[in-house]
Amino acid sequence: MDWIVIIPLYLCAAFFALARSQKPTVTMCPEFNQVFSGDTLVLTCSGSGQLKWFFNTNLIKDQMRETWTINVISKNDSGSYQCERNGEKSAPKDVTVLDYLPVASLSIKSGRAVINRGDPVVLELHVDTGLLDWRCRVFKGGKVKKIRFDKTLMTSDKKDVQFHAKTLEANESPAIFWCQHKTEMKRSNPITIKTTGQMVMLETPPEPAILGKPLTIQCRVWGEPDISRAVFLKNGVEKQNKKNSSLTIDSVTIEDQGNYSCTATYKFKENTSKIPNTVTSDFQELLVKAQPPEAVYIRSGTNLKCSCPKCSKPHGYRWYKQKQGQMEIEDLEDINFSSSEGRSYWCKAVWNDRVSAPSARFSPNQDSSDPESKPAPVILIVILFVCVILMVSCCVIAVFYMKKRRSSAAFREDGGYEEVGQRKATDNIMMQEKKKEGEYEALKQSEKEGEYHTLGAEGGKGTEAGYEALKRSKMDEKEGEYQTLGAEGGNGAEGGYEALKRAKMDEKEGEYQTLGAEGGKGAEGGYETLKRAKMDEKEGEYQTLGAEGGKGGEEILKKNND
């Protein structure tokens, strides 16, 4: 009976002695096969007892916890990590931090980085060289779990695969997803998904923000009601108080790192109450990392060459061509482009196990310096066409102005000009003039139709010639058109001079017409002048009389007074 009791006691003592004699070990979670700048690492020391941490054999005095969390690891954190328990040191855990990007890309296809508990999230894995032998993992609740795929999807021909993340429980947040190759040292970037039980959520990016790059964080309310105000806090201090539900940082600095929250005032449309709700979100940590080396392209004509000045010597370069969501990949240092293809281009420097940050995108159709997108000949043709239009317009204006100037005076035989007189008359004034030898007969106006009638006169041979006046058969109220009569003298007239007469004057254009006159045989010739017979109050129109002189007679102008 005594042996039955004593043997277990010896076994327990031996077990505890063995446990005390075992060296502690350092494990890394998630267990990445590569570590990149910006990763979050959690180091754990096994065993029990008093704990110390060492980095490159140097004691870290302010680190006394069993787990050592490095939120944003950098290249300066490369080195050897050890822990010590009860005077016994662990084997060193070597960590090499790569200052580049992983060869594979993991992104959120559907959903958000901060979700309510139970909300779905769909992730997408992209690998340029194909999905064969790739697998994905999730670290949540302190454990690493496998994500199963249909093997028919994981082939070298396929480059993209999507998978649904299982619902996260309260104790499983945050959850870190990543993918890596089974046999080679290749992996994707990690994606961190967080959950909240609040109606209001502050959505931070699933990866650390990049120094020098723009960033927007969003204050959201479950159900998407109308948000009347959002207050953003950083480390408990108000940073922004506006109706805008987003906070934008134009260029991220290291000072932007910290714990953020937001307080939203909102109201659902179906809520009949006038009192809105005001709720504050959980704190979310915003992490910041250094910008990785970035590729650039150099353009020469229609040729694009990729380079990476800040990179160590890469194994090669990779070009990406995208058109309407379809992407082509070529492992070339330089390519030729055509604006007619409607594509956008960018490139990366590549190694077997890492890549540089992508270059800026080049779109020929949007590049103002591209000669194909804005050809110089077309610009010259447009400029020339505009110049021709301007020249023609100037010529038309100049001709119109000269005609207007010339129509303001009548030309005389002796080279002088006789001014055209204008006079305003009323409708009830009749112009009368006694018919005399060598004088004019005035026009009579019909009261009803507004037409003008003239008296005709014929002179005999050797007599003083009569004049046939102008008759207006009809005047259209809009057009104000006029007709003229010619006058002929006797055979002995020497011929008179034809003066300028204004038959039609449009209020805008001021155009004039003339009457012809002939003198009788043997006449010295008289001068035909302009006479105003009637001016309509609206249109300001004028009519003239023709005159013929007899033998030795002279034509004079007589002006009727109002």
Side-chain angles (χ1 to χ4, degrees), residues 23-38:
K23 286 185 177 183
T25 58
V26 177
T27 56
M28 181 173 65
C29 292
E31 190 67 34
F32 295 139
N33 58 5
Q34 288 176 298
V35 179
F36 288 89
S37 178

Side-chain angles (χ1 to χ4, degrees), residues 320-328 342-344 346 361:
Y320 299 83
K321 309 176 189 178
Q322 188 172 25
K323 180 180 181 181
Q324 298 178 350
Q326 299 296 322
M327 188 167 61
E328 296 180 12
R343 296 181 177 179
S344 58
W346 69 96
R361 293 201 177 201

